[in-house]
Amino acid sequence: MAEFVNFKEIDVKWQEAWEKEKIFQVSDQSKKPKYYVLDMFPYPSGAGLHMGHAFTYTLGDIYTRFKRLQGFNVLYPIGYDSLGLPAENAAIKNNTHPEDYTKKSIANFMKQQKAMGWSYDWSRALKTSDPEFYKWDQWIFLQMLEKGIAYRKKAPVNYCPKCESVLANEQVVNGKCWRHEDTDIEIKHLEQWFYNITKYVEPLLQGLEKLDWPERAKVLQKNWIGKSFGTEVIFNINNEDWKVFTTRPDTLYGVTFLVISAQHNRLFDLVTKEQKSKVEEFLKKLKSVSEKELENLEKEGVFTGAYAINPLTKEKVPVYAGNFVVADYASGMVMAVPSHDQRDFEFAKKYGINIKVVIQNKENNLDSKTMQRAYTENGILVNSEKFNGLNNRAAIDTITEYLQHMSLGKKTVQYKLRDWLISRQRYWGTPIPVVYCDKCGIVPLNAKDLPVTLPKDVKFGQGNPLKTNDSWVNTTCPKCKGKARRETDTMDTFVNSSWYYLRYCDPKNSKEIFDSSKVNHWCPIDQYIGGPEHITMHLIYIRFYTKVLHDLGLINFDEPALRYFTQGIVKAADGERMSKSRGNVIEPLDTIEKFGADALRFYLISNASPDKDVIWTDSGMQSSHKFIGKVYSFFENIRFGKDSEKFEHKINKTLKEFFDDVQNFKYNVSTIKLRALFETMQNEKTISKESANKYIQMLHVFCPHITEELWNRFGNKGFISQSTFDKVNESKINLKFDKEDQAIENLSEDLGKILKVIQDKRDNSISKAFVYVIPNELELLKDVSSIEKKTNLTIKVFAVNDKAKYDPENKAGKAKSNKPAIHLE
RNA sequence: GCAGGGGUUCCAGAGUGGUCAAAUGGGCGGGACUCAAAAUCCCGUGGUUCAGGCCUUCGAGAGUUCGAGCCUCUCCCCCUGCACCA
C-alpha cells in the first residue's frame, strides 16, 4: 500500500548514497562514448525552486539517466547564472549586498535541487559571479577587442529607466523592457560597447540548416536575423550622396518624397534653418508619444527643408523626418512611393504630397487623383521612361542593373539583426576590462592583470554603483602608467551564458579559459534543453560566441548544440501561470514532502508531451503517487521465478519501444507503456529477476529513488544509476502473443455484448460458452481463463472442423477469421 | 499583415492509411468491501439494440483510395512569435 511506503526516507537514503559515492562525477577519460546533456542553468533567486524548474530539469535528468543506462559516458553539469540585475535589485530591496544575497540563494537552490534527485556532476558546478569565472568573460572581451569584434560607438540605444541601464535590441519586447513589461524604452544617444554580431550574420543563418532544433526555434531565429534582398539607391541631397535601401526599385519613378528616421544621428545635417524649430518641436512631441502606446502610433513627419534628387528622373523631391522609420536598419532613410505603398500613401495624403502612378494593370486604370489606397499588386510599368511596358517583377532586376551600370546604386542584402550592445550601467555584472587614460585614450588591460574584480564597497541607489568607489575607479594606465579611470559599465549578463557550457568541460582551469582538447572531446552539446523564451536571446548569443571562439582557434566546432528541446510551462489548475499574486502556486518541495520526488517526477511527465504545457491537477498527482506505490509494493518482497514466453515477449517489446520513445522525448507515451506492462506483470504467475531488473531500469529514468532501493533489494551489485540496459532480445519478440491478446480481447468483447443483450431479455441462466474458431486460430484461444474469470462462464473452444465438438445449434458454420462463432447455454 | 504550431470522444492527451468508437490518466456512473465513509479493487462511460449488429463521431466542406482521425485542397477557429525593417 502506498501509504506505508516512506518515499521521503528512500529519497534521502539514496540521494546521500549517490553523493557519498560520487557516482555522477564524470571522467574525461572513458571507454564509453561521450554524451553531453545540458539544461540551461538557473538564475538563483531567493525564492528557490519553482514548479517550472522542477519540470524542465527533470526532463534533462531523465534524458541523462537514459543515456547513462544506454552505456554513454554522460556529462551532465549544473551551475548558476548568478550575475545580473535581479540579484542586484533584490539585494537592494532586502538591504543586503548582491554577493551575500547570491551566496544564500545558491545554497538554498542546491539543497532543493538535490531533493529532486537530479544527477548532476556537482564537482563541475560553477557560478558566473565567481571571479574565476568572469575573469574569462573579460579575457574573451580582450580577444574580441583585438579582433575588432568588440568596439565602442555612439549610437541610438535602448534605455530602460527602471533598470537604469541600456539594453540590447533582443531585450526590447514590443517597445518595452524584457524585465519590465510596463516600462517604455527610451532612445538615447550614447557611446557604448558593442559586439559585432552582425559580422556573423550569414554563419548564424546558414548554421541553422544543420541543427536538429524544433522548427519553431529555427524560424524564430531566421526571422530575428531577418535577411532581405534589395537595392541600395543613391539619392543626392545638397551635393552629398545618401544611400537608401529598397526592395522595390521597380517603383523608383514613383518616388515623390524621402523619409529619414527622426532618430537618425545625421538628421540635422539635412535640416534647414527655416525648418529647424519645426523639426525640434516634432522631436519633442515624439518623445512624449513614445511614453504612450507605441502600437497604434500614427505615421507622422515634418519637412526638413532639404530636397533629394531622384537618380533616374533627376526630379527634386522633399525629404521628411518621420517617426516610423527605424534609425539603425539599413541607412535609416527610405524612399516613399505613395502610389504603391500604403504607408507612404497615408503619409502623402496627410501632408499633401504629390502621388505618381508607375504600375498599371489592365483591369484597373489607376488615377493618382482619385485612388483611395495604394496599389500594391503587380502590373506593367508606366511613367517610367525607357522601362515602360515592363512587368514590374522583372523590372526589379532590370532597374537595379541599370543603376549599377550608372553607378547610382547596387544590389544589396539587409538584415534586421543589430550589433549586440553589451554595456550595462549596473553593478552586478562582469566589469569591462578597459581603462580611460587622459593620454592614451581607451586602453585594454593586459590579460595577466585579469580578473578585474567587483569592489564590494559601493553605494547602491543612485546611478551606477561602481562609480561610487573612487579607489576602484581611479587606477593607472597599463600603457603609460599615468592616471586613468576604469570603465564603470559592466557586461550584459548574457555574455556569461554564452560560453558557460565550455567551461563545464574544464571548470577548475586557472591557467587558461579551458583546455581545448577537453572541450573538443565533450562538445558540442548533444542535447540542450531550455525554455522557448531564450530562442531570440540566449540561443543567438551562444551561437555567436561559439563561432567567434571557433575562429579564434580555441574550439573545433562552430555550433554549440546539435539538438535542442523546448519544454512547456507548468500551469496551475486554473490554466493560468503559477504566481504568488494569483495564489495558485504549488511548491515542488511541499509536493516531495507529501508524495516523494519520484511521484512528482513521474507526474510531471505523464500528462502530455513535454514540449506542451502541463496543467497541474491534484488528482493527477495522486494517481502518479498511487502507481509508484503499487509498483513499489509489488516488487518489495517479490519472489522471482521464471518468465512466461509471453512475458518475455512483452518486456522485450516494451524495452524496444522505450528506447525509441525516450530518445525522442515521448516520455508520456513511455509512462503509459510502463503502466500497461505493470498490469501484465501483476497477472503473471512468476517473473524472473532479469525481467524485473529490466522493468525497474526503465522506470528508473523517471523514478530514480525507488528503483535504486529495489535494485538493492533484489540483491544486484552496485547502483542502478550506474547500470546499463541489456540489449533487446529480438528473438523473444513474437507477434503471435499480440495476436493472442487481440483474439482474447475480441472474444471477450463479443461475449460481453451478447451477454448484455441476453441478460436484458431472459434471466441470468447462462453459464457456458462454446466457441468455434477456424482451425488455424485455435491456438490463439488456448488460454481463455481470463475471460472465464471476467464473464463468469465456463468456456470451451473448438476448431470448426473438430468432429467431436459440441454444437447443438449448428453455429460453427458462422465462424469467420477473427470472428469466432459462439453458442451459449 | 507575415511566419510557425495547433483544432481528437466530459477534460487532459495518445494516435499519422485497414485490426479505431479511438491508448492512458482524470472526471463521472455502477458494483465489491464497510455499520457507514475514506482508501482500495472490479466494471462501465457516442447512440441505438437486433446474439457479437447497425448508425453517428476525431474544427467545416470537398477530394484521393477498395478503405481516412491519419494523405491532398479550400475554408473557419485557437495559440505563439515578429511586427511601421522600406
Side-chain angles (χ1 to χ4, degrees), chain A residues 586-600:
Chain A
I586 308 277
E587 298 286 354
L589 283 199
D590 294 349
T591 311
I592 292 176
E593 199 62 44
K594 233 163 143 183
F595 302 111
D598 287 345
L600 173 59

Side-chain angles (χ1 to χ4, degrees), chain A residues 160 163 167 171-173 175-181 183 185:
Chain A
C160 170
C163 293
L167 298 175
Q171 291 158 353
V172 179
V173 179
K176 316 264 184 194
C177 172
W178 66 306
R179 289 205 234 258
H180 301 107
E181 284 175 18
T183 307
I185 291 305

Side-chain angles (χ1 to χ4, degrees), chain A residues 122-395:
Chain A
W122 285 102
S123 71
R124 292 170 186 262
L126 53 81
K127 46 180 196 279
T128 59
S129 53
D130 185 347
E132 279 308 300
F133 181 87
Y134 68 66
K135 172 182 177 180
W136 302 107
D137 278 331
Q138 296 171 341
W139 183 83
I140 293 172
F141 177 89
L142 295 179
Q143 306 305 307
M144 297 251 206
L145 196 63
E146 204 178 310
K147 294 278 170 199
I149 294 166
Y151 68 95
R152 210 170 148 77
K153 77 169 174 190
K154 189 172 180 179
V157 296
N158 307 300
Y159 182 86
C160 170
K162 274 217 180 136
C163 293
E164 296 182 67
S165 178
V166 297
L167 298 175
N169 223 32
E170 284 74 17
Q171 291 158 353
V172 179
V173 179
N174 291 329
K176 316 264 184 194
C177 172
W178 66 306
R179 289 205 234 258
H180 301 107
E181 284 175 18
D182 57 341
T183 307
D184 285 316
I185 291 305
E186 292 172 11
I187 303 290
K188 292 199 172 187
H189 286 79
L190 295 171
E191 193 169 305
Q192 300 282 307
W193 288 102
F194 287 86
Y195 278 161
N196 185 201
I197 191 170
T198 54
K199 186 182 168 192
Y200 283 86
V201 66
E202 275 301 322
L204 285 170
L205 200 55
Q206 280 155 22
L208 287 173
E209 305 290 328
K210 63 182 177 196
L211 297 179
D212 181 10
W213 283 19
E215 198 52 33
R216 174 165 88 113
K218 291 209 226 182
V219 169
L220 242 56
Q221 286 213 351
K222 226 181 200 165
N223 291 347
W224 189 262
I225 291 167
K227 183 177 187 174
S228 61
F229 295 93
T231 305
E232 198 174 86
V233 184
I234 294 168
F235 282 79
N236 190 289
I237 308 173
N238 302 334
N239 291 320
E240 199 185 334
D241 285 346
W242 290 72
K243 290 168 184 167
V244 172
F245 177 73
T246 179
T247 55
R248 294 294 305 277
D250 53 318
T251 61
L252 199 45
Y253 284 87
V255 174
T256 53
F257 61 103
L258 256 47
V259 187
I260 183 169
S261 169
Q263 273 98 20
H264 201 287
N265 53 13
R266 291 192 56 205
L267 171 62
F268 281 93
D269 292 359
L270 297 180
V271 178
T272 56
K273 269 185 208 156
E274 298 75 43
Q275 291 298 91
K276 198 173 174 203
S277 61
K278 279 189 183 159
V279 172
E280 279 170 347
E281 194 183 316
F282 176 71
L283 291 183
K284 238 180 241 165
K285 194 176 140 206
L286 249 191
K287 215 194 153 197
S288 64
V289 166
S290 82
E291 279 156 27
K292 292 178 198 157
E293 280 302 303
L294 265 164
E295 276 169 35
N296 297 318
L297 194 65
E298 206 181 324
K299 288 156 209 48
E300 289 182 329
V302 61
F303 182 45
T304 60
Y307 288 88
I309 296 168
N310 183 320
L312 294 184
T313 63
K314 307 299 177 197
E315 277 168 349
K316 275 175 96 177
V317 296
V319 180
Y320 280 73
N323 63 352
F324 63 96
V325 177
V326 179
D328 54 350
Y329 178 71
S331 53
M333 191 188 275
V334 300
M335 61 178 229
V337 186
S339 50
H340 305 295
D341 181 289
Q342 186 57 25
R343 277 172 321 198
D344 298 348
F345 182 83
E346 285 163 24
F347 195 91
K349 280 283 175 201
K350 184 165 179 167
Y351 296 101
I353 306 168
N354 196 15
I355 297 174
K356 185 178 164 194
V357 171
V358 290
I359 298 174
Q360 280 290 11
N361 104 6
K362 280 169 195 154
E363 287 91 64
N364 51 8
N365 199 9
L366 295 172
D367 180 347
S368 62
K369 290 194 184 66
T370 57
M371 63 198 296
Q372 290 303 303
R373 51 181 301 115
Y375 176 73
T376 53
E377 308 293 309
N378 293 325
I380 303 297
L381 292 197
V382 295
N383 292 326
S384 300
E385 297 176 3
K386 59 181 154 193
F387 302 104
N388 282 342
L390 273 182
N391 172 299
N392 77 299
R393 306 299 315 172

Side-chain angles (χ1 to χ4, degrees), chain A residues 80-140:
Chain A
Y80 301 95
D81 194 8
S82 49
L83 283 176
L85 247 178
E88 187 172 337
N89 290 338
I92 293 168
K93 204 172 155 194
N94 299 316
N95 203 18
T96 64
H97 193 278
E99 196 178 311
D100 303 330
Y101 171 87
T102 301
K103 210 172 159 186
K104 230 166 132 186
S105 299
I106 288 178
N108 182 32
F109 242 71
M110 203 179 271
K111 211 177 95 201
Q112 301 188 359
Q113 286 169 313
K114 287 178 179 170
M116 286 296 297
W118 296 330
S119 55
Y120 302 124
D121 179 350
W122 285 102
S123 71
R124 292 170 186 262
L126 53 81
K127 46 180 196 279
T128 59
S129 53
D130 185 347
E132 279 308 300
F133 181 87
Y134 68 66
K135 172 182 177 180
W136 302 107
D137 278 331
Q138 296 171 341
W139 183 83
I140 293 172

